[in-house]
Amino acid sequence: MFIILLGVLCCLIILGFIFREKIMDVFGGGSLRPFTKEELREYDGIRKPQIYVGCKGFVFDVTKSLSYKPGTTYHVFAGLDATIGLAKMSLNPAEFEITEESSLSTSEKATVDQWFNTFKTHYKYPIVGRLVTEAKSKQLSFTSYYYSVSYTHLTLPTSELVQIQVV
């Protein structure tokens, strides 16, 4: 019995190590890029070729899906925080400006949770960022830089390793 539990524990540790980036990103501890609503608007498939959709504080890349391309029904969500629109099953962009999730009914919260789970678990929709306010975006800019430096220095050949001191 002890050997089986030890084996399961080892498997969990190995899986946690393999998927640590995804786990950390989903739970907010990773190096996801912070997006303000203004920055997200650029990723509508017209201004920039990528199509991003915000849902429940996360930003998903939906570029690979034909449903979000310009001229399609779901393109209305492109480059926006679509949480409220998805919850209300509305294609009216005016409703997307409402940002209070607390104003949603129980069934609307369940609906947006289903959409979020679809985005989160679908291989076509990688998580590329977090939705933040302008103030939070400025606060996180050092964190993003720190992560890029810490990962960059690990890729140098052994003879070129440098010491990075954070002050």
Side-chain angles (χ1 to χ4, degrees):
M1 182 68 171
F2 176 74
I3 294 174
I4 293 171
L5 288 175
L6 186 62
V8 169
L9 181 63
C10 288
C11 287
L12 289 174
I13 290 171
I14 291 168
L15 286 174
F17 181 75
I18 292 170
F19 295 106
R20 71 185 177 281
E21 287 298 314
K22 184 73 169 173
I23 292 167
M24 289 182 70
D25 288 347
V26 168
F27 293 105
S31 58
L32 289 174
R33 175 185 167 193
F35 282 89
T36 63
K37 287 186 178 186
E38 293 75 30
E39 291 169 328
L40 182 59
R41 281 189 181 96
E42 295 292 314
Y43 295 89
D44 63 356
I46 297 170
R47 291 175 231 171
K48 291 195 178 188
Q50 300 89 354
I51 303 172
Y52 293 171
V53 171
C55 183
K56 293 187 70 165
F58 288 89
V59 178
F60 297 90
D61 183 345
V62 297
T63 307
K64 291 182 181 178
S65 173
L66 297 176
S67 301
Y68 295 90
K69 302 281 184 205
T72 62
T73 306
Y74 286 159
H75 186 257
V76 70
F77 298 121
L80 298 174
D81 178 4
T83 303
I84 303 300
L86 293 169
K88 295 182 177 287
M89 299 293 289
S90 171
L91 298 176
N92 180 2
E95 290 193 12
F96 302 169
E97 296 305 315
I98 303 167
T99 57
E100 292 297 319
E101 286 186 51
S102 60
S103 67
L104 297 175
S105 69
T106 305
S107 65
E108 290 170 337
K109 287 179 183 178
T111 300
V112 79
D113 285 343
Q114 289 173 346
W115 276 102
F116 179 73
N117 287 330
T118 298
F119 285 130
K120 186 175 69 170
T121 58
H122 202 287
Y123 73 93
K124 275 198 231 179
Y125 308 137
I127 299 171
V128 293
R130 298 271 312 193
L131 281 169
V132 296
T133 62
E134 185 67 36
K136 186 75 170 173
S137 177
K138 290 178 182 172
Q139 179 184 355
L140 291 176
S141 62
F142 171 76
T143 304
S144 299
Y145 175 75
Y146 174 75
Y147 280 119
S148 75
V149 168
S150 66
Y151 288 128
T152 303
H153 87 276
L154 293 174
T155 61
L156 294 173
T158 307
S159 62
E160 297 178 26
L161 282 177
V162 294
Q163 182 177 10
I164 298 173
Q165 183 176 7
V166 178
V167 181

